[in-house]
Amino acid sequence: MEAQIDNIDINHAEKARAAFWRLHHKQGLLALKTDFSLTLNTYRLFKQHCKFIDNLLASVWAEANIDESCCLIAVGGYGRGELYPYSDIDLLILLQDSMANNDAFNHSIELFIGQLWDIGLNVGHSVRTLSECVDEGRKDVTVQTNLLEARLLKGHRGFYQAFLDEMKASIDIPVFFNAKLKEQDNRHAKFNDTAYNLEPNIKESPGGLRDLHMLQWLTRCLSMQEGLKLGATSTWTFLQKHHIISNLEARQLRHHEKNLQQLRIRLHFLSGRREDRLLFDFQNELAASLGYVNTVRKRASEQLMQSYYRSAKFISLMNEILLKALQQLLIPIKPVIKPINARFEAHNGLLVAESAGLLQKQPPAILEAFLLLQQHTELEGMDASLLRNLLRVKNLVNRDFRENPQNRKRFIEILSQPNGVNHTLRAMNRYGILGSYIPAFGKIIGQMQHDLFHVYTVDEHILNVLANLRRFAKPDLKHEFPLCTRLFEEFDAPYLLYLAALFHDIAKGRGGDHSELGTIDAARFCRLHYLSKEETDLVAWLVEAHLKMSATAQKSDLSDPDVIEGFANFVQNERRLAALYLLTVADIRGTSPAVWNAWKARLLESLFNATKHALAHKKQQLQEIMDTRRTEAATKLSKFGLYDSSYSHVWKQFGTSYFLRHESDEIAWHSRLLTPHLHTTNSIVRARLGPSGDGIQVMIYTKDRTDLFARICNFFDRMGYNIAEARIYTTDHLYALNSFVILDQSGKSVSYSGLLKFIETELTQKLDSGSLLESPLQGRISRQVKHMPIQAQITISEESGNNNHKLEIVANDRPGLLATIAHKFLVHEIELHTAKINTLGNRAEDTFLISAKKGQKLDVEHIQELEKVLLSDI
């Protein structure tokens, strides 16, 4: 009983101490936050935070009564004295070999770590002997890096020094350098090798703090190799002192480092957690805390992000330059020099200027350097000195430079090379040359896009589009887009496509129609660069028309001959059609990894093929089109052993207009499935995978009723599927024959085992049960929509030649949106004929062909009422 009481007392005392320390830690963080808001001094915050945690750990360590021969060591960011408010506290408990299997010691360590968690500290810890540290470091470069930044907190100083000596001796610098380089490449790849994501990670993204840490780790290696003591001296001071960077570069590095540190500290305090992503949720509040205010041209959050992008761009550049400089110092190799021409030579695979002042004395050599990288594929890039000079002379790319005929011809020559166009233009942008040579491009660098589906800044999107075009030129990638690869091979002047890509979004953010404004810029640029009138007209037309094909494919009924004829008249010839198709595919794929899918691919390819056929043949009369579709469908049905006598009655029930509204493949599918069920009164639902991998196609055949579309929308909403297209048709005997294409909302790969059968069984039951119509889902909007909403837009226009109106809706996407619209159609007696549902990220762009009941024309009052109710409810 006494032992139990003692244990109760001990546990009570431990809990009381943990509660005291937890409160102490909470108050300490609050004090740090208050002090930082007054001083805005990052160095002071790091120093105070580390000191505060040092003292707290020392107290808990002392209470744990751990053997004095062991060491408590801070490692990682905490070890180097850069501890952010909610960052992990990385610890190494270094123990003597004799303690490794000591049960009492292990128990005391468990109590120590448990107490830290009870206090509320985010601790990352390891417990190792000295030999284990060396072994783990050799196996894992991340462990070795962490241990490089060690700082003794408590324990035996002599043992700690032995640890430092062993770690220093165990580092194989060439191996370490190459491993860190590979690690950085892999990290950058996770962010698509760009700093220009709209929600970047301040720590891990290219141009983030981790790129600076990389330089700090390698500088520490350099100091060890040279027998120099880095000590408390900052990395930038050390590099400056040893003439590896200039005084100006050291100041700039400190400035941009401080900018990112400020943002990360504020982000931690604002979110109340370890949050390193500049999410939309925090951008507005962060901008306000830094004093940014909205202007006519730019939101405060845009100004904040452009400041971030400037820092990230500079850090990326210095990371590239200094990695090359440090590599030469850490892994010196005998130079292999090969002459390139009178102005340049190659040193160990890197391009080097023949003289230090070449670019200053001969500015045209700036573009020549990029051209040489394309023409000499053995070159891996520019050396550090040439890169530095390039940064210093970018101001020489001015009006005189742009008006120089030699430079104009060389820029087009760069675009005309068979290799390296994408890589070269990206390098030109990275080094500030592209924005100087094309000033309009310079204005959109780092510009945000508030449309909920672009995930990159305007300049990064443009370069992604160009990269996608270049993929079409690679035979080893033809399996991705076979049609695009073939068309690109046949296109005689790819540089015209690249120019269209460069200018298609260049006028964003100016106000007005960016396609029209960009067309003016593109035409002027082409004329100044000696392109022919025919070439200039094509580039200008592509810029002006770059949204047309996407809009037609995703918003119009491609089975309608008038749609195809209208688009064929718009493009005029096959050359324009091929160029616009290539640009459109590259453009959509360049917006976001999540926007492109097989459904969009099929729509665009269908429009391309139908338009190509229309351009090559005289216009068919409606009766000819219907006869052609009947013939093609009959041929397909004969392969299943079905002939005219089997389905003629079905076709008669479908009615004449059915063959104008449906393609031959769909006609054959419907006929094959419905022929055995001519006399049934039950609903028939059939589902199949899209022939081109474009979602799931669902056919619904049932007695027509007014609430049918709303019921179907509710069903698919509750399944978690988006309706991409709905084709609503009523047969001559008043049955609904509706076709849907549905896509998985999650974007994840889906197992279709049993799914098609589930849709057929469950939807049939829903339609035949006679139950009350369910209310639409009221799902939560995404956080992006919450912090970056778009104003709903309703456009209702009259269709020529019939009683229909086209309803176009642009709105924030959310679960239940389409079902809500369907309910409004039901309540306001709107008859739906077709629906094209286009979801771009969190933005819905839906198009409906509608009329009043029984195909009657909507009157003005009905249209105004519908517009009002939709605006209020979506």
Side-chain angles (χ1 to χ4, degrees):
M1 178 65 75
E2 286 181 6
Q4 289 178 340
I5 292 172
D6 288 342
N7 284 336
I8 291 171
D9 289 341
I10 291 169
N11 290 337
H12 179 74
E14 287 176 353
K15 288 179 181 178
R17 281 196 299 274
F20 169 77
W21 281 325
R22 188 162 51 247
L23 178 62
H24 179 58
H25 178 236
K26 187 177 179 180
Q27 290 172 338
L29 272 180
L30 186 60
L32 284 170
K33 183 178 181 180
T34 302
D35 184 77
F36 180 74
S37 66
L38 295 173
T39 65
L40 305 180
N41 189 321
T42 57
Y43 174 76
R44 178 183 169 92
L45 178 129
F46 292 146
K47 187 176 180 180
Q48 289 182 338
H49 194 197
C50 285
K51 184 178 180 182
F52 174 69
I53 296 298
D54 288 354
N55 292 335
L56 184 56
L57 291 174
S59 299
V60 181
W61 180 265
E63 289 279 352
N65 198 28
I66 295 170
D67 192 285
E68 292 182 1
S69 65
C70 299
C71 294
L72 178 64
I73 301 170
V75 293
Y78 178 38
R80 68 173 172 269
E82 190 179 321
L83 186 60
Y84 289 84
Y86 290 96
S87 286
D88 284 352
I89 298 165
D90 292 329
L91 299 172
L92 166 66
I93 299 174
L94 184 66
L95 57 148
Q96 303 281 354
D97 291 340
S98 59
M99 306 298 294
N101 298 312
N102 187 309
D103 290 341
F105 173 77
N106 290 335
H107 180 65
S108 64
I109 294 296
E110 288 175 12
L111 290 176
F112 171 70
I113 298 301
Q115 190 76 281
L116 297 183
W117 282 106
D118 289 343
I119 294 169
L121 300 179
N122 296 319
V123 175
H125 75 283
S126 57
V127 182
R128 296 190 180 109
T129 64
L130 185 51
S131 59
E132 286 173 340
C133 288
V134 173
D135 291 343
E136 288 299 316
R138 284 179 176 146
K139 287 189 289 185
D140 188 341
V141 71
T142 304
V143 172
Q144 195 168 53
T145 307
N146 252 357
L147 299 180
L148 263 181
E149 301 178 303
R151 181 168 59 88
L152 181 64
L153 298 174
K154 295 294 290 183
H156 195 280
R157 188 162 295 277
F159 189 32
Y160 172 69
Q161 187 58 51
F163 159 78
L164 293 180
D165 293 341
E166 285 286 338
M167 291 310 303
K168 179 179 176 181
S170 70
I171 293 178
D172 183 328
I173 289 179
V175 170
F176 181 81
F177 181 93
N178 290 323
K180 295 306 292 183
L181 204 58
K182 184 178 180 181
E183 184 182 73
Q184 176 172 286
D185 289 342
N186 292 338
R187 173 169 53 83
H188 287 180
K190 291 178 183 178
F191 299 94
N192 297 315
D193 291 304
T194 177
Y196 295 99
N197 293 295
L198 297 190
E199 293 183 306
N201 187 305
I202 300 174
K203 179 183 176 185
E204 301 289 350
S205 286
L209 288 164
R210 189 59 90 202
D211 282 7
L212 293 177
H213 298 156
M214 175 79 163
L215 299 177
Q216 291 167 354
W217 298 324
L218 296 177
T219 301
R220 187 173 292 274
C221 288
L222 179 63
S223 70
M224 292 190 303
Q225 179 174 280
E226 300 297 322
L228 303 170
K229 189 173 182 182
L230 192 59
T233 305
S234 82
T235 300
W236 319 132
T237 301
F238 180 89
L239 293 174
Q240 178 186 348
K241 183 179 176 183
H242 291 86
H243 309 292
I244 298 169
I245 60 175
S246 67
N247 294 345
L248 175 61
E249 288 169 337
R251 286 197 302 273
Q252 290 173 316
L253 278 164
R254 291 188 191 98
H255 166 76
H256 292 294
E257 178 182 43
K258 184 178 178 182
N259 187 30
L260 296 199
Q261 288 173 340
Q262 279 264 359
L263 284 173
R264 192 179 178 202
I265 289 168
R266 288 173 183 271
L267 194 53
H268 277 213
F269 279 135
L270 186 59
S271 63
R273 62 177 187 266
R274 186 188 62 187
E275 180 58 80
D276 297 328
R277 297 166 300 165
L278 270 171
L279 302 176
F280 293 137
D281 312 46
F282 306 118
Q283 288 178 12
N284 289 331
E285 202 168 338
L286 266 176
S289 73
L290 287 163
Y292 293 107
V293 294
N294 292 335
T295 66
V296 176
R297 299 295 294 273
K298 277 190 173 67
R299 302 182 188 187
S301 60
E302 288 182 89
Q303 298 169 57
L304 163 76
M305 294 308 297
Q306 285 198 308
S307 169
Y308 167 80
Y309 295 133
R310 280 193 295 271
S311 291
K313 183 173 184 176
F314 180 81
I315 289 168
S316 287
L317 282 173
M318 292 308 298
N319 175 273
E320 181 180 355
I321 291 169
L322 287 175
L323 283 180
K324 289 179 177 178
L326 289 168
Q327 184 174 24
Q328 291 174 359
L329 295 169
L330 290 170
I331 317 173
I333 57 175
K334 185 178 179 180
V336 177
I337 301 173
K338 292 182 180 180
I340 300 288
N341 61 25
R343 291 166 298 284
F344 293 95
E345 52 192 24
H347 289 197
N348 296 326
L350 295 176
L351 188 66
V352 177
E354 177 270 334
S355 66
L358 172 67
L359 302 183
Q360 288 89 340
K361 294 172 185 174
Q362 301 180 47
I366 294 172
L367 291 184
E368 183 186 10
F370 290 103
L371 181 60
L372 289 173
L373 287 177
Q374 290 179 283
Q375 294 174 337
H376 294 266
T377 54
E378 74 277 8
L379 292 173
E380 297 174 5
M382 301 180 190
D383 86 327
S385 61
L386 183 55
L387 283 178
R388 274 205 172 90
N389 283 331
L390 201 57
L391 297 182
R392 291 176 186 138
V393 302
K394 65 181 179 181
N395 291 335
L396 296 179
V397 184
N398 51 26
R399 177 178 291 181
D400 290 341
F401 185 97
R402 292 189 290 270
E403 292 178 353
N404 184 321
Q406 182 184 3
N407 293 332
R408 289 176 175 178
K409 290 177 182 177
R410 188 161 279 157
F411 186 80
I412 297 300
E413 194 177 356
I414 286 171
L415 293 182
S416 304
Q417 293 300 304
N419 298 303
V421 176
N422 171 51
H423 181 82
T424 299
L425 287 178
R426 282 189 176 274
M428 290 175 69
N429 183 46
R430 192 161 63 249
Y431 306 144
I433 303 302
L434 187 59
S436 297
Y437 189 74
I438 307 177
F441 190 91
K443 291 176 182 177
I444 49 91
I445 291 174
Q447 183 172 309
M448 302 278 283
Q449 303 194 71
H450 298 282
D451 54 18
L452 295 176
F453 65 93
H454 282 90
V455 299
Y456 306 110
T457 57
V458 180
D459 58 315
E460 187 64 25
H461 164 67
I462 286 174
L463 293 173
N464 283 342
V465 174
L466 191 131
N468 290 333
L469 285 170
R470 286 297 302 158
R471 289 182 77 83
F472 303 152
K474 299 180 185 300
D476 55 325
L477 297 176
K478 66 181 179 182
H479 62 280
E480 291 183 349
F481 297 94
L483 176 58
C484 289
T485 301
R486 179 170 61 80
L487 292 175
F488 196 91
E489 275 180 9
E490 295 169 356
F491 199 80
D492 58 342
Y495 62 90
L496 300 179
L497 299 176
Y498 305 150
L499 282 170
L502 280 173
F503 282 89
H504 82 284
D505 276 354
I506 207 165
K508 279 194 169 180
R510 294 189 207 170
D513 187 324
H514 78 278
S515 299
E516 292 178 4
L517 295 172
T519 300
I520 296 169
D521 288 351
R524 181 175 182 274
F525 186 88
C526 291
R527 286 193 298 271
L528 291 174
H529 286 73
Y530 316 113
L531 270 66
S532 68
K533 184 179 185 304
E534 181 187 354
E535 291 175 323
T536 299
D537 288 348
L538 177 59
V539 173
W541 180 82
L542 285 171
V543 173
E544 185 175 25
H546 75 272
L547 298 174
K548 180 71 173 179
M549 192 169 195
S550 172
T552 303
Q554 297 181 79
K555 295 184 179 183
S556 300
D557 183 356
L558 300 186
S559 66
D560 184 346
D562 289 338
V563 170
I564 303 304
E565 182 192 358
F567 189 70
N569 290 335
F570 174 76
V571 299
Q572 297 181 359
N573 57 60
E574 285 193 27
R575 189 167 193 254
R576 278 188 168 190
L577 173 63
L580 185 58
Y581 175 72
L582 289 168
L583 180 61
T584 301
V585 174
D587 188 15
I588 296 175
R589 290 188 66 232
T591 58
S592 159
V595 167
W596 181 260
N597 56 35
W599 167 243
K600 288 184 174 68
R602 189 176 77 82
L603 286 177
L604 287 169
E605 190 165 336
S606 297
L607 177 56
F608 173 84
N609 289 327
T611 306
K612 184 179 178 181
H613 183 272
L615 288 168
H617 299 82
K618 68 176 185 176
K619 180 182 176 183
Q620 285 184 301
Q621 298 301 314
L622 295 182
Q623 187 60 50
E624 288 181 288
I625 293 169
M626 289 190 290
D627 289 345
T628 299
R629 289 178 178 177
R630 283 191 182 100
T631 302
E632 290 174 351
T635 301
K636 291 179 168 100
L637 287 167
S638 67
K639 295 176 181 178
F640 292 92
L642 294 173
Y643 298 95
D644 181 76
S645 58
S646 306
Y647 51 78
S648 58
H649 183 59
V650 174
W651 282 13
K652 186 176 180 182
Q653 288 180 335
F654 285 173
T656 303
S657 60
Y658 170 82
F659 296 92
L660 277 177
R661 296 279 306 281
H662 297 81
E663 298 283 358
S664 60
D665 179 70
E666 205 165 23
I667 294 169
W669 186 47
H670 291 171
S671 304
R672 183 167 59 85
L673 295 177
L674 293 177
T675 295
H677 305 286
L678 288 177
H679 306 294
T680 184
T681 57
N682 295 328
S683 300
I684 298 173
V685 178
R686 294 292 182 268
R688 67 173 180 176
L689 299 183
S692 304
D694 48 339
I696 298 172
Q697 295 180 352
V698 182
M699 180 204 75
I700 298 162
Y701 179 76
T702 186
K703 286 183 179 179
D704 197 20
R705 57 186 192 239
T706 56
D707 66 351
L708 183 60
F709 183 60
R711 286 181 179 274
I712 295 167
C713 289
N714 273 333
F715 175 79
F716 288 128
D717 243 350
R718 284 169 165 76
M719 267 190 71
Y721 274 72
N722 279 324
I723 295 173
E725 182 178 56
R727 198 188 305 273
I728 312 300
Y729 181 76
T730 304
T731 67
D732 281 0
H733 67 309
L734 303 181
Y735 263 67
L737 178 49
N738 299 342
S739 305
F740 289 80
V741 176
I742 60 172
L743 306 172
D744 177 33
Q745 286 181 5
S746 69
K748 297 180 291 188
S749 59
V750 178
S751 169
Y752 290 103
S753 175
L755 177 61
L756 302 183
K757 192 66 180 174
F758 173 84
I759 291 172
E760 294 174 351
T761 305
E762 293 298 315
L763 183 51
T764 301
Q765 184 180 338
K766 285 280 184 186
L767 296 178
D768 290 343
S769 67
S771 59
L772 291 174
L773 179 64
E774 298 171 295
S775 297
L777 284 175
Q778 296 298 318
R780 293 171 58 188
I781 63 172
S782 72
R783 59 178 184 81
Q784 287 96 337
V785 170
K786 182 179 177 183
H787 294 282
M788 203 177 286
I790 58 173
Q791 184 68 41
Q793 302 169 37
I794 308 291
T795 305
I796 303 177
S797 56
E798 192 172 331
E799 291 279 285
S800 61
N802 56 50
N803 287 339
N804 297 332
H805 281 77
K806 180 186 281 188
L807 165 63
E808 296 179 87
I809 297 176
V810 177
N812 298 306
D813 192 32
R814 60 172 173 80
L817 175 64
L818 186 58
T820 299
I821 294 170
H823 273 251
K824 299 308 172 189
F825 288 167
L826 177 63
V827 171
H828 294 274
E829 299 187 327
I830 299 294
E831 191 169 288
L832 176 67
H833 302 284
T834 61
K836 296 291 279 288
I837 312 303
N838 187 22
T839 304
L840 302 166
N842 291 292
R843 176 189 178 101
E845 294 186 0
D846 301 342
T847 306
F848 307 89
L849 204 61
I850 58 173
S851 68
K853 295 198 75 174
K854 298 184 179 178
Q856 296 299 304
K857 194 168 188 175
L858 291 166
D859 58 36
V860 175
E861 287 185 10
H862 207 162
I863 290 171
Q864 290 174 344
E865 181 186 3
L866 177 63
E867 187 173 349
K868 182 179 178 182
V869 73
L870 286 173
L871 280 172
S872 65
D873 288 351
I874 64 172

